[in-house]
Amino acid sequence: MSAEAHDHAHDHAHDHDHEHHHKDTFITKYIFSIDHKMISKQYLITGIIMGIIGVGMSMLFRMQLAWPEESFKIFNFLLGDKFAPNGVMTNDIYLALVTIHGTIMVFFVLTAALSGTFSNLLIPLQIGARDMASGFLNMVSYWLFFTSSCIMVSSLFVESGPASAGWTIYPPLSALPQAIGGSGTGMTLWLVSMAVFIASSLLGSLNYVVTVINLRTKGMSMTRLPLTVWAFFITAVIGIVSFPVLLSAALLLIMDRSFGTSFFLSDIYIAGEVLHYQGGSPVLFEHLFWFLGHPEVYIVILPAMGLVSEIMATNSRKPIFGYRAMIMSILAIAFLSTIVWGHHMFMSGMNPFLGSVFTFTTLLIAIPSAVKAFNWITTLWKGNLQMNPAMLYSIGFVSTFITGGLTGIILGDSTLDINVHDTYFVVAHFHLVMGISALYGMFAGIYHWYPKMFGRMLNKNLGFVHFWVTTVCAYGVFFPMHFIGLAGLPRRYYTNTNFPLFDDLQNVNVLMTTFALVGGAFQLVFLYNFFVSIFYGKRAVQNPWRSTTLEWTAPIKHIHGNWEGEIPHVHRWPYDYSKPGHEEDFVPQNVPMMPGEEELHH
């Protein structure tokens, strides 16, 4: 079937659907929807709820670190008498809060909410497709994510406490129910939740890949795709390659815990008792976990990079600098991300030669990342900058990405890493480069595409307040951590009062916690803006940012199939801003080329 005939058949089938489209009930429209635009909103709102839980936990354990042994009524109210007797947090619940906070933020907010929201919203709209390749699989993928979120949250209410072996759940702490308070039912629920989550992630990723390869509109070649779609596409590919490895680790750990195998357990003693395990290796688990765990950070950051590239070009009113170099760097990051996992394991007794190999590949991945950073800065250079909240968050993203990335060069070197590995230096590094940067990308995306999602505008002034307070507080929390890390303060200790050596650092902990509490409280400004604007925001025009990509050619009112009538065809690349010879300072992708006009692709 020729491509044109295929397009025609595709259009015709959808038009046919359209005429016979039965009236949506509340349940088919808002709950079991197969429309990618609705599913993206479901992902976003679920992600926001999980984010509130994750950030709330970090507030609690920051209070514990700043004022150890203090009694807080809120601890007793939220954690109960068992975990906060007389309002004083126990060490068991501290470890559990750190574990679940990490799990929720990395997987449920930064992976699922970021990719799920924007891949769903933008892939069909930006490539000119009626919907995802499979609407049904898309719906199933969201409901599996929702189910896994519910299972993870329910583990908070288990009597023995939630999983508390750290978000990386290393055995033997996670493999033996008697090893630590939360290793009983709470740990089992964690593993079941992750297995369901991975199923959701894989279904979503397969759908995104097939959609991008097969459903592009006429004229939309791979080199005319917006960088957002490139980022989502490659992110999905990395997910398909690496998530099954974590699934195998989780299933083997379930077997160790419940069926008496010993994949990850060797000769082991607990409280003088000799256990019958032999022959396994906890280091094997580390390899399996980090084989997903390192690509995971790029699964988190690449979609944010794509969103930021798009927003910067739009708000600089200039073509993105180095479009092809940006694509090549995304591909290089994808390849290299799968061969650097060992840098998380320099402390595991790894062969020093193997350590040097991982050091080399880790330092290599700094090159494509730097290419992207230089290209963003050059895109801004001499641009006609439109400073709206989305643009501020994009510039903030570049700032935190560079700040956090520089410390990655230190941690990627095995000889330097050994000195700071289990200190707050590592916490500072990955929160800035991955946590804060990815959240900034997500905020930028929400401020920019909100009119597309809800047909209304967010309040700009509240957006500015949200940005500046969040930025000052984010640096206020994570910048000092580098210094207390260099001073040797270990991470994951629920109090440092037993070590007189660290008494001088207590004031820094108080300072960071103050920033954390203020920053956390100001997220309420965003939540207010987000939920109130859905109903009362200013109505959006069709193309509020005067942008060139296809999603802004679709009508504001969400219709089944995205465009009435024919799907627009594409005649040019997605970044024709301020092009000489045109009246407007932007030329949408569906506008045919003028005689003698050249397509730019620097």
Side-chain angles (χ1 to χ4, degrees):
M1 208 183 206
S2 75
E4 216 159 314
H6 171 266
D7 279 352
H8 184 72
H10 186 71
D11 271 10
H12 184 72
H14 268 290
D15 291 343
H16 190 66
D17 273 3
H18 201 69
E19 288 158 35
H20 297 284
H21 198 57
H22 58 89
K23 189 83 185 92
D24 274 341
T25 60
F26 179 82
I27 290 192
T28 57
K29 184 169 181 189
Y30 292 107
I31 301 175
F32 296 111
S33 172
I34 54 170
D35 178 21
H36 71 99
K37 299 179 290 296
M38 183 55 68
I39 293 173
S40 84
K41 292 181 204 174
Q42 292 175 320
Y43 266 109
L44 181 57
I45 289 170
T46 312
I48 286 175
I49 293 165
M50 292 302 277
I52 293 168
I53 297 171
V55 171
M57 290 178 169
S58 66
M59 307 277 136
L60 294 177
F61 61 70
R62 280 283 3 142
M63 286 166 70
Q64 163 64 24
L65 286 168
W67 301 286
E69 314 299 332
E70 289 272 331
S71 170
F72 289 104
K73 282 204 173 67
I74 189 163
F75 284 0
N76 192 267
F77 174 70
L78 290 174
L79 306 173
D81 287 334
K82 180 178 177 186
F83 293 118
N86 303 322
V88 179
M89 190 183 288
T90 64
N91 57 355
D92 281 356
I93 196 67
Y94 173 81
L95 293 172
L97 288 172
V98 171
T99 301
I100 304 295
H101 160 80
T103 308
I104 283 180
M105 296 309 284
V106 171
F107 293 111
F108 293 81
V109 179
L110 300 177
T111 303
L114 186 55
S115 280
T117 301
F118 291 106
S119 301
N120 266 311
L121 178 70
L122 296 177
I123 288 177
L125 281 165
Q126 289 194 335
I127 67 172
R130 295 279 183 205
D131 204 320
M132 283 288 176
S134 166
F136 176 73
L137 273 189
N138 207 7
M139 175 188 80
V140 172
S141 144
Y142 167 72
W143 280 104
L144 287 173
F145 164 57
F146 182 80
T147 307
S148 73
S149 303
C150 293
I151 297 172
M152 188 60 75
V153 170
S154 68
S155 77
L156 301 172
F157 301 99
V158 173
E159 193 178 352
S160 57
S164 46
W167 75 277
T168 54
I169 57 160
Y170 286 171
L173 280 182
S174 59
L176 299 169
Q178 64 270 49
I180 189 174
S183 270
T185 319
M187 189 67 236
T188 307
L189 286 170
W190 192 101
L191 288 164
V192 172
S193 167
M194 282 316 294
V196 177
F197 177 85
I198 292 166
S200 148
S201 187
L202 287 171
L203 286 180
S205 297
L206 290 166
N207 216 347
Y208 305 150
V209 169
V210 173
T211 305
V212 173
I213 292 176
N214 288 340
L215 297 186
R216 302 191 305 279
T217 183
K218 191 173 176 215
M220 178 63 84
S221 62
M222 291 301 272
T223 48
R224 283 177 175 169
L225 286 177
L227 289 170
T228 34
V229 177
W230 267 106
F232 300 142
F233 175 61
I234 299 300
T235 299
V237 171
I238 303 177
I240 292 167
V241 170
S242 57
F243 261 117
V245 181
L246 184 64
L247 182 62
S248 64
L251 294 177
L252 295 181
L253 191 50
I254 288 172
M255 291 170 78
D256 273 10
R257 290 171 53 78
S258 308
F259 303 111
T261 57
S262 64
F263 292 105
F264 304 131
L265 291 166
S266 190
D267 315 336
I268 200 161
Y269 302 81
I270 275 201
E273 179 195 356
V274 183
L275 301 184
H276 60 273
Y277 295 102
Q278 57 194 29
S281 162
V283 176
L284 170 62
F285 179 86
E286 292 191 35
H287 278 292
L288 293 175
F289 181 90
W290 287 116
F291 190 81
L292 161 94
H294 202 81
E296 168 65 26
V297 306
Y298 294 99
I299 291 172
V300 163
I301 206 77
L302 278 177
M305 288 176 162
L307 297 171
V308 162
S309 304
E310 180 73 29
I311 292 165
M312 279 197 174
T314 303
N315 288 307
S316 302
R317 311 313 294 166
K318 110 216 201 192
I320 190 88
F321 184 86
Y323 173 78
R324 297 218 160 150
M326 288 294 229
I327 294 172
M328 293 311 295
S329 63
I330 292 176
L331 294 169
I333 285 173
F335 170 67
L336 290 169
S337 73
T338 56
I339 52 171
V340 296
W341 78 91
H343 66 215
H344 295 271
M345 298 172 53
F346 290 144
M347 300 288 279
S348 64
M350 178 191 284
N351 180 319
F353 174 72
L354 192 58
S356 66
V357 173
F358 279 120
T359 295
F360 176 69
T361 55
T362 303
L363 297 180
L364 217 51
I365 208 165
I367 297 169
S369 304
V371 167
K372 297 188 89 59
F374 286 125
N375 284 5
W376 287 319
I377 293 166
T378 323
T379 302
L380 295 174
W381 176 251
K382 292 195 173 170
N384 172 16
L385 305 185
Q386 319 284 309
M387 286 301 184
N388 49 41
M391 182 63 156
L392 286 176
Y393 269 114
S394 302
I395 296 170
F397 169 90
V398 178
S399 161
T400 54
F401 184 69
I402 292 171
T403 318
L406 288 173
T407 51
I409 297 172
I410 296 168
L411 293 169
D413 188 316
S414 51
T415 40
L416 295 173
D417 175 72
I418 284 169
N419 298 290
V420 289
H421 183 82
D422 252 327
T423 70
Y424 271 92
F425 192 84
V426 175
V427 182
H429 158 73
F430 81 79
H431 276 85
L432 274 178
V433 79
M434 180 182 133
I436 299 297
S437 299
L439 278 176
Y440 278 11
M442 191 164 163
F443 283 138
I446 292 170
Y447 281 105
H448 189 77
W449 279 284
Y450 192 88
K452 191 76 241 159
M453 294 179 103
F454 297 104
R456 293 181 184 268
M457 304 296 282
L458 283 164
N459 181 312
K460 198 169 167 180
N461 292 336
L462 289 178
F464 288 143
V465 170
H466 177 226
F467 170 76
W468 285 111
V469 177
T470 302
T471 298
V472 171
C473 291
Y475 271 122
V477 175
F478 298 114
F479 205 69
M481 274 189 195
H482 294 97
F483 301 103
I484 62 174
L486 288 173
L489 192 67
R491 55 186 175 146
R492 294 187 179 154
Y493 283 21
Y494 90 115
T495 169
N496 306 302
T497 44
N498 295 344
F499 306 100
L501 172 70
F502 299 131
D503 286 350
D504 298 345
L505 302 178
Q506 196 51 32
N507 294 338
V508 186
N509 255 327
V510 173
L511 176 77
M512 293 191 301
T513 299
T514 309
F515 275 122
L517 294 172
V518 173
F522 263 86
Q523 300 316 303
L524 295 172
V525 172
F526 168 74
L527 292 174
Y528 171 82
N529 196 358
F530 183 90
F531 287 108
V532 170
S533 298
I534 292 177
F535 304 104
Y536 304 110
K538 195 176 101 193
R539 288 199 178 277
V541 295
Q542 186 166 356
N543 188 352
W545 315 117
R546 302 174 52 226
S547 197
T548 56
T549 39
L550 284 184
E551 76 270 28
W552 304 105
T553 62
I556 298 175
K557 183 176 180 301
H558 286 178
I559 54 169
H560 183 73
N562 293 337
W563 287 272
E564 287 163 351
E566 208 180 340
I567 294 180
H569 291 173
V570 169
H571 301 280
R572 54 182 71 237
W573 79 314
Y575 300 107
D576 271 344
Y577 291 103
S578 306
K579 196 170 186 184
H582 287 272
E583 289 171 26
E584 293 278 1
D585 71 346
F586 71 106
V587 193
Q589 280 188 281
N590 58 339
V591 173
M593 298 291 248
M594 299 192 304
E597 186 184 355
E598 284 183 25
E599 187 166 11
L600 297 168
H601 257 171
H602 298 313

